[in-house]
Amino acid sequence: MSATILSGTETAAVVRGEVADRVATLGKASKQVGLATILVGDDPPSKIYVRNKHRAARKAGMISIDRHLPGTASQTDIERVIAELNADDQVDGMILQLPLPDGLDAEGAVETIQPTKDADGLHPFNLGLLVMGRPGPLPATPRGIMRILAHYDIATAGRTAVVVGRSFLVGRPMGLLLGQKGIDATVIQAHSRTRELAEVCRQADILVAAVGRSQMIDSDYVKPGATVIDVGINRDGEELVGDVDFDAVVEIAGAITPVPGGVGPMTIASLLANTVALAEARA
Ligand code: NAP
């Protein structure tokens, strides 16, 4: 039997509609919502992601501000632009597109973003709020995944969730969100030093793959009926493939996100949702 396909495209459309309504409500009170992006260098995928973020922001009725620095920009150059955007009243949220070119300190740069304008929810202050279970902008990709689970009524309480990956961008906040009060999954955080990874993953009712290794998670890693969330975006020639071997896993999982059209669209929708919430807080 084939798994239910968890469509990020469909879920993101719902979120983007909600965001557009909130932007329009703020507009009636003469508050425009502004999202700024900072791109350093000319990495082709990053350029596409940034372009898509601007397109989505404008479609939701936001002002979008695009700051593009050359690949030769220094740490000081980047932090100067961030300081300008921190001081710019038009900007409610900003994102620094990652990864930065080699030799630059991404975490150091993110720390200079004002936490109340941190649309990606990656500032240590906001990650601290997440650890404490207090409201704040959430890392966009994990926030989007939680929304997919809610949209498709996937039960989490008392379920075992295995998150493969522990990056500060995806894996670690994902584990925190799944384990927080009210969501109540029992979380196992796996990584490159985890022993018997397939066996660990087979315990999962909800399996999140955020590894960055093309189709690594095959049917051996999946318990029949499990919900499988594929965060990975890997390039195979012209094609985008996930961390999950979709064709094999779709036959045994209960539900699965495709790549593309799964987690990716939710990341942008969550970024917009964070930005409008920051704008509401400022208004
Ligand atoms: P990352 O910073 O490279 O982290 C990868 C994680 O996977 C690390 O924690 C690493 O463990 C673990 N890992 C690596 N090889 C492993 C193995 N063989 N077995 C078990 N764990 C292993 O990557 P990331 O930023 O979290 O991104 C992960 C993937 O998601 C990438 O493909 C990225 O492109 C994609 N992504 C997608 C979206 C989206 O919107 N869909 C957003 C962000 C990222 P260690 O900590 O032990 O090194």
Side-chain angles (χ1 to χ4, degrees):
M1 203 183 69
S2 237
T4 302
I5 305 299
L6 307 175
S7 168
T9 309
E10 186 188 306
T11 314
V14 175
V15 175
R16 283 157 68 150
E18 292 167 1
V19 169
D21 289 347
R22 289 163 69 184
V23 170
T25 302
L26 285 168
K28 283 184 200 140
S30 302
K31 167 80 186 107
Q32 283 196 302
V33 179
L35 171 67
T37 64
I38 307 159
L39 172 66
V40 185
D42 290 300
D43 174 50
S46 292
K47 280 172 100 169
I48 295 170
Y49 295 144
V50 166
R51 195 179 62 212
N52 290 344
K53 286 168 187 174
H54 284 283
R55 198 176 288 155
R58 282 195 296 267
K59 235 173 148 180
M62 296 182 185
I63 307 169
S64 81
I65 300 150
D66 182 8
R67 301 294 300 268
H68 188 179
L69 281 76
T72 52
S74 67
Q75 188 78 17
T76 312
D77 295 333
I78 299 167
E79 292 179 8
R80 192 178 305 122
V81 170
I82 292 174
E84 283 166 22
L85 296 171
N86 280 337
D88 185 341
D89 234 19
Q90 274 200 105
V91 176
D92 295 292
M94 75 176 94
I95 64 133
L96 174 63
Q97 184 66 38
L98 302 178
L100 294 181
D102 287 347
L104 293 167
D105 173 12
E107 289 177 29
V110 168
E111 274 180 42
T112 68
I113 295 174
Q114 201 171 290
T116 52
K117 291 192 174 190
D118 172 27
D120 256 342
L122 294 177
H123 189 283
F125 179 84
N126 290 322
L127 290 174
L129 291 179
L130 169 59
V131 170
M132 295 171 80
R134 286 169 51 186
L138 294 171
T141 303
R143 176 184 176 143
I145 292 168
M146 295 310 295
R147 184 62 191 260
I148 292 183
L149 295 176
H151 185 78
Y152 285 95
D153 276 330
I154 307 281
T156 51
R159 302 289 170 99
T160 299
V162 176
V163 180
V164 190
R166 57 178 168 183
S167 69
F168 86 112
L169 190 64
V170 189
R172 200 170 284 277
M174 188 71 245
L176 286 166
L177 279 173
L178 284 164
Q180 76 179 358
K181 259 198 185 309
I183 302 297
D184 300 322
T186 302
V187 179
I188 299 172
Q189 190 98 49
H191 46 75
S192 66
R193 305 295 300 272
T194 300
R195 286 189 194 164
E196 309 297 346
L197 183 63
E199 197 179 312
V200 171
C201 289
R202 279 199 303 274
Q203 293 180 49
D205 300 303
I206 299 168
L207 176 62
V208 181
V211 186
R213 287 179 189 265
S214 190
Q215 300 182 318
M216 181 184 115
I217 304 292
D218 61 22
S219 50
D220 226 32
Y221 290 66
V222 178
K223 175 164 84 175
T227 296
V228 180
I229 306 289
D230 189 355
V231 185
I233 300 180
N234 310 290
R235 264 167 213 285
D236 184 2
E238 286 297 288
E239 220 191 331
L240 284 186
V241 290
D243 289 343
V244 175
D245 179 351
F246 183 89
D247 291 342
V249 171
V250 75
E251 295 301 326
I252 60 164
I256 185 168
T257 58
V259 176
V263 174
M266 290 309 295
T267 298
I268 295 187
S270 302
L271 178 68
L272 301 181
N274 276 340
T275 303
V276 75
L278 292 170
E280 287 164 350
R282 272 158 58 79

